[in-house]
Amino acid sequence: MRITLGGVRFKLPYSLTHSVRELAPRRDYLKAPEPEFAAAFRSDLDRLGPERIAARLRQIAEAEGDHRLVLLCFEDLAKPGLWCHRRMFAAWWKDRTGDEVRELSPMEDGHYQQGTLL
């Protein structure tokens, strides 16, 4: 599911069937330096709260009949020095719930390892 304000800027080999705009940063701080962006984004997440976010994600999981959800933004974190709100959400979620949101990453056999959020 997409957690960005805008749409995809390039062709994907899969379809994105859901968008969770509640987890997208707001335009008013989108271009802010990382510390200011992080503070504003975490404040937005605090206003939503983990219960409301979990309910929204459960709604999508139930609609899809699959508990394996992937939160997508489009920054390439393989490039040194880059950061993204997806990882900021993961840190906030762990702080609030104690549950880790792992990064989906390739394994040795070329498949991807995915954990669960809910």
Side-chain angles (χ1 to χ4, degrees):
M1 73 192 85
R2 182 170 60 86
I3 60 169
T4 60
L5 289 176
V8 182
R9 294 172 255 159
F10 45 86
K11 185 160 176 52
L12 297 173
Y14 49 85
S15 63
L16 288 174
T17 55
H18 295 277
S19 176
V20 183
R21 292 188 60 99
E22 302 95 302
L23 299 182
R26 289 182 289 120
R27 291 193 194 287
D28 61 322
Y29 60 81
L30 192 60
K31 304 265 186 215
E34 183 179 2
E36 291 149 35
F37 179 104
F41 185 59
R42 288 179 71 91
S43 178
D44 286 351
L45 294 172
D46 284 337
R47 275 194 290 284
L48 285 169
E51 296 84 11
R52 186 169 161 196
I53 293 169
R56 176 73 170 109
L57 297 179
R58 267 192 223 97
Q59 177 186 41
I60 293 169
E62 288 170 8
E64 290 299 316
D66 194 341
H67 70 278
R68 297 171 301 163
L69 303 178
V70 177
L71 307 178
L72 295 173
C73 66
F74 304 104
E75 283 71 32
D76 182 357
L77 295 182
K79 295 178 182 176
L82 288 186
W83 52 272
C84 73
H85 74 284
R86 182 184 72 246
R87 297 314 306 153
M88 288 180 187
F89 168 77
W92 176 87
W93 186 264
K94 183 165 176 67
D95 289 347
R96 297 302 183 271
T97 68
D99 295 328
E100 187 174 351
V101 179
R102 295 185 311 168
E103 190 71 5
L104 186 64
S105 58
M107 295 171 27
E108 289 178 24
D109 63 1
H111 289 91
Y112 284 82
Q113 180 177 20
Q114 182 176 357
T116 58
L117 179 62
L118 303 171

